[in-house]
Amino acid sequence: MAGDFDMGKKPRKTKRKTKSGQPTPDRVIDAALTLAATGGWRQLGLAGIAEEAGLTLAQLRSVFPSKAAILTGFVRRTDERVLAGGKAGDEDGDGTARDRLFDVLMRRFDVLQPDRSAVRAIIRDSLCDPLAVLCQGPMLLCSMASMLEAAGLSSAGPIGALRTKGLALVYLIALRAWLKDDSADLAKTMAALDRGLRQAEKMAAFLNSGRTARA
């Protein structure tokens, strides 16, 4: 019996995987994307994300308290990278508003490209959760407002709100094409985006002509 219980030894603790550096939002986001790409988003838990990131659960929660917060962080990081990828003065450059919006949104797809499998899993699993879809709506509109501003178009006021909603619709249609686009140059995505922007441009011209006629 004495051999069964050695009171002089403490239980061995399981060592957690660690990674160099301090806990950062990027580490958590990247870990969540890695796991989502391989196992889906719906069943993914914070404990699994923490382990993948080399953090304790407490460390992860100090950065992101929930999966929804991680997703918000991912969208915000995408916005920042798109905006940082533009050249100074782009909003005042040559080209029509449609051309500038095309460039900005294609830059967004380029930023997302390395994580396409994860984005596909997140979208697929989120569609099964109506509450999650509703929560993501305002986040999408905020992102599209930033994209408008990056293209030199105001997102302020009633007209800006209409532009933002219209661009969100165009983006979602192009996003659907991007998720299935296996071409090396994203030709299908570009075609869908160009088509959507042209239709939006025609609608805007129609609305403007109506206002002019009433005036």
Side-chain angles (χ1 to χ4, degrees), residues 125-172:
D125 290 352
S126 295
L127 291 177
C128 300
D129 185 351
L131 182 59
V133 174
L134 289 174
C135 291
Q136 291 166 20
M139 184 166 55
L140 173 63
L141 292 178
C142 286
S143 293
M144 292 302 102
S146 296
M147 300 302 100
L148 280 170
E149 297 288 346
L153 298 171
S154 175
S155 62
I159 298 300
L162 188 61
R163 284 174 178 163
T164 301
K165 292 176 181 177
L167 186 62
L169 180 58
V170 170
Y171 174 69
L172 289 174

Side-chain angles (χ1 to χ4, degrees), residues 26-80:
D26 280 343
R27 284 174 63 185
V28 175
I29 293 170
D30 290 340
L33 293 175
T34 297
L35 294 175
T38 56
W41 179 254
R42 190 177 183 182
Q43 302 299 326
L44 183 57
L46 291 180
I49 297 173
E51 183 176 4
E52 178 68 21
L55 308 173
T56 65
L57 185 57
Q59 288 173 325
L60 182 146
R61 284 181 58 84
S62 71
V63 181
F64 293 115
S66 66
K67 283 170 56 180
I70 295 174
L71 188 56
T72 298
F74 173 51
V75 174
R76 183 178 294 116
R77 185 177 77 173
T78 300
D79 292 343
E80 291 171 353

Side-chain angles (χ1 to χ4, degrees), residues 6 9-14:
D6 188 346
K9 295 183 180 180
K10 295 182 179 180
R12 187 178 62 182
K13 294 182 179 179
T14 301

